[in-house]
Amino acid sequence: MDSAMSSFFIVFGIIMLAIVVLIVASMWKIFEKAGQPGWAAIVPIYNLYILTKIIGKPGWWVLLMIIPYLNIIFMIWAYNLLSKSFGKDTGFTVGLVLLGIVFFPILAFDKSIVYQGPAGNPSAGLGDQIQSIGADIR
């Protein structure tokens, strides 16, 4: 029974390592597609900062992404903006959130998917977003 358990954990560990390598390679490629350094995908916290640059949000979003429970909301929002940045819709966001092991590699390695700018709008910079806050109230 002992060897069966150890064999299970060895196989489980190898599978988990393969999944981690696949996700890291996918994020590396996504960062490169967006014109950012790929190595940033493996640096904790800094990868979130680069993600905010890719999706066109301010750097202080990193703080919101590391606060427990609040991070769930902001990571889903970030994934939505990431999918829009590559020309995908909300359905792709659902795929990134619920089945990331499939959708991140699709986003990374599909040559027909290209980066279109923050949230899919290449002309919109961060300044445009900040100036537009409250514009519809007038």
Side-chain angles (χ1 to χ4, degrees):
M1 176 114 175
D2 237 1
S3 67
M5 284 298 267
S6 64
S7 297
F8 170 77
F9 284 119
I10 289 172
V11 170
F12 182 76
I14 291 171
I15 292 171
M16 291 306 293
L17 183 63
I19 290 171
V20 167
V21 167
L22 177 66
I23 296 298
V24 168
S26 298
M27 289 303 291
W28 188 301
K29 185 67 175 168
I30 288 169
F31 281 21
E32 286 180 344
K33 273 186 165 183
Q36 300 296 327
W39 58 264
I42 60 174
V43 180
I45 308 300
Y46 183 64
N47 61 4
L48 294 176
Y49 175 72
I50 297 298
L51 180 65
T52 59
K53 287 177 59 176
I54 292 171
I55 63 175
K57 289 299 177 187
W60 55 264
W61 261 44
V62 172
L63 295 174
L64 300 173
M65 290 183 194
I66 60 175
I67 297 173
Y69 301 110
L70 189 62
N71 64 349
I72 296 169
I73 296 166
F74 277 90
M75 284 308 293
I76 291 172
W77 193 354
Y79 286 168
N80 184 30
L81 293 172
L82 181 67
S83 64
K84 287 180 181 179
S85 297
F86 284 91
K88 297 297 180 182
D89 58 359
T90 308
F92 202 85
T93 301
V94 173
L96 286 174
V97 171
L98 298 179
L99 204 56
I101 191 171
V102 173
F103 282 82
F104 276 107
I106 289 172
L107 194 62
F109 299 111
D110 187 353
K111 294 189 186 318
S112 66
I113 300 174
V114 295
Y115 182 66
Q116 299 178 354
N121 187 0
S123 63
L126 185 59
D128 297 337
Q129 294 177 17
I130 292 174
Q131 292 171 357
S132 69
I133 294 174
D136 22 335
I137 296 175
R138 293 185 227 167

